[in-house]
Amino acid sequence: MKRKPEDRPVVAICYDFDKTLTPDDMQAQGFIQSIGYDVKDFWTEVNEMAKTFEMDTNLSYMYKMMEASRGKHIFNRESLLDYGSKIELFPGVEQWFERIDQYGDLMGIDIEHYIISSGLKEMIEGTVLGERGVFKRIYASSFFYDENGLAVWPAQAINYTNKTQFLFRIEKGVLDVNDAEVNSYYKPGEHRIPFTNMIYIGDSDTDIPCMRLVNMNGGHSVGVYNPITKDKEKVFRMINEHRIRYFTAADYRGGQELDLLVKSIINKISMDAVLNVLHYEDQEEAK
């Protein structure tokens, strides 16, 4: 979907999910407990399996969820949606999307929200956010289901390095995960959402490849930390290593630092868009 100079600017806000929009891993908010595991023990076994069999850690946790569910409950899409509905969100998250959309419209910009997560798509779809359809796309790990509706195989497994492919899809407006158009050449100015119009919000090392890619191309990366624990160790390290441009508490309420920061970035993008239009008009007149 190649952009035309007269098109209204679009800003993509891309979010990690676990510990970015929610205080804990999604699996640790009911699912792990339901299969009789201590949360720490579950992740220890997942990591040991990944190391022993040289597995991707995400494939390891997906297998462990399926295997440990046997004899305890039906492991299908419906059960995952139900666990997703119980996920706790950070303060202000439920109201965030409508407020930011309205602000973008005020500034002459369309806002689109994307999830890029190593967590489970089904659980995210089960949250109040998924039910409201606030996300343009949810790029996350997911299962393939058999004729009986049971999860039997990974459909997608998204880890910290292959997360970056989705930024290129968003950049070009080629959102289908199997669309090879993402590899096509786009001239400068043709990208639907250039990296300069991207905001990436994440919390940890797993977000670094995306943050670095966004930074390198003139975009805006924001590290967030838990506003309750106020543990800033990860964001301090990321800012010192130039992985992120800004950091703030994951408090999504209006008037808080994150709200003001994102609105300031939108202001900048809006002004840049005005200048780009003026530049294009001057070029056209000079021809």
Side-chain angles (χ1 to χ4, degrees):
M1 187 186 298
K2 294 187 177 181
R3 175 178 172 77
K4 299 175 183 177
E6 64 272 18
D7 288 348
R8 182 168 154 118
V10 183
V11 167
I13 307 181
C14 306
Y15 310 82
D16 179 40
F17 191 83
D18 292 340
K19 301 177 183 175
T20 296
L21 296 178
T22 178
D24 204 350
D25 294 324
M26 61 183 71
Q27 301 88 345
Q29 299 185 52
F31 176 83
I32 292 174
Q33 295 85 344
S34 76
I35 56 175
Y37 267 84
D38 173 80
V39 171
K40 183 177 180 181
D41 291 343
F42 177 86
W43 291 118
T44 296
E45 289 191 20
V46 164
N47 291 329
E48 287 176 352
M49 182 186 300
K51 183 177 181 180
T52 299
F53 297 102
E54 296 185 351
M55 293 175 68
D56 179 275
T57 304
N58 291 68
L59 289 171
S60 179
Y61 92 65
M62 294 173 77
Y63 173 83
K64 190 66 180 176
M65 289 178 73
M66 291 172 49
E67 186 269 336
S69 294
R70 293 193 186 108
K72 296 185 176 69
H73 61 72
I74 298 173
F75 192 72
N76 58 14
R77 177 175 171 79
E78 287 70 29
S79 67
L80 292 173
L81 289 170
D82 184 58
Y83 283 113
S85 71
K86 300 176 175 64
I87 290 174
E88 177 187 358
L89 300 171
F90 275 126
V93 168
E94 289 190 38
Q95 299 77 33
W96 166 266
F97 300 92
E98 183 178 3
R99 187 175 67 252
I100 294 299
D101 289 350
Q102 290 175 350
Y103 188 79
D105 189 54
L106 181 68
M107 300 303 296
I109 284 177
D110 292 330
I111 306 292
E112 295 179 355
H113 305 275
Y114 295 85
I115 289 289
I116 306 178
S117 170
S118 297
L120 287 176
K121 182 179 182 181
E122 294 89 339
M123 283 192 174
I124 298 170
E125 289 176 336
T127 66
V128 64
L129 305 177
E131 289 181 351
R132 291 180 186 171
V134 302
F135 302 114
K136 179 80 171 180
R137 281 288 191 282
I138 298 174
Y139 294 119
S141 300
S142 61
F143 287 98
F144 169 75
Y145 301 91
D146 67 12
E147 64 276 8
N148 298 313
L150 299 177
V152 294
W153 197 260
Q156 289 285 338
I158 296 177
N159 61 33
Y160 63 98
T161 51
N162 67 20
K163 275 185 173 186
T164 56
Q165 68 165 298
F166 302 107
L167 294 176
F168 291 108
R169 292 197 174 278
I170 293 166
E171 179 195 32
K172 293 181 176 180
V174 183
L175 302 182
D176 189 311
V177 296
N178 293 312
D179 193 338
E181 173 67 17
V182 71
N183 296 314
S184 297
Y185 174 72
Y186 281 46
K187 297 177 183 177
E190 289 184 337
H191 297 92
R192 181 171 179 270
I193 307 178
F195 278 99
T196 52
N197 287 23
M198 288 188 192
I199 304 171
Y200 188 94
I201 302 178
D203 72 286
S204 68
D205 294 350
T206 61
D207 300 303
I208 285 176
C210 284
M211 290 171 163
R212 185 169 181 271
L213 180 62
V214 169
N215 281 354
M216 286 173 56
N217 290 281
H220 312 272
S221 55
V222 181
V224 293
Y225 60 88
N226 190 310
I228 304 301
T229 65
K230 295 183 171 59
D231 183 357
K232 302 179 184 178
E233 181 182 353
K234 289 181 180 179
V235 291
F236 280 168
R237 185 173 69 252
M238 288 192 290
I239 199 87
N240 288 330
E241 294 175 352
H242 308 290
R243 310 292 194 172
I244 53 177
R245 294 190 186 277
Y246 318 96
F247 69 85
T248 181
D251 186 337
Y252 292 81
R253 293 175 294 177
Q256 297 301 309
E257 188 175 4
L258 181 57
D259 178 72
L260 298 176
L261 172 61
V262 169
K263 286 178 179 176
S264 295
I265 295 171
I266 291 171
N267 292 345
K268 179 183 183 302
I269 294 171
S270 176
M271 292 306 300
D272 287 344
V274 171
L275 292 174
N276 288 338
V277 169
L278 292 174
H279 177 62
Y280 172 76
E281 290 175 349
D282 287 346
Q283 285 185 320
E284 289 299 298
E285 186 178 350
K287 287 181 180 178

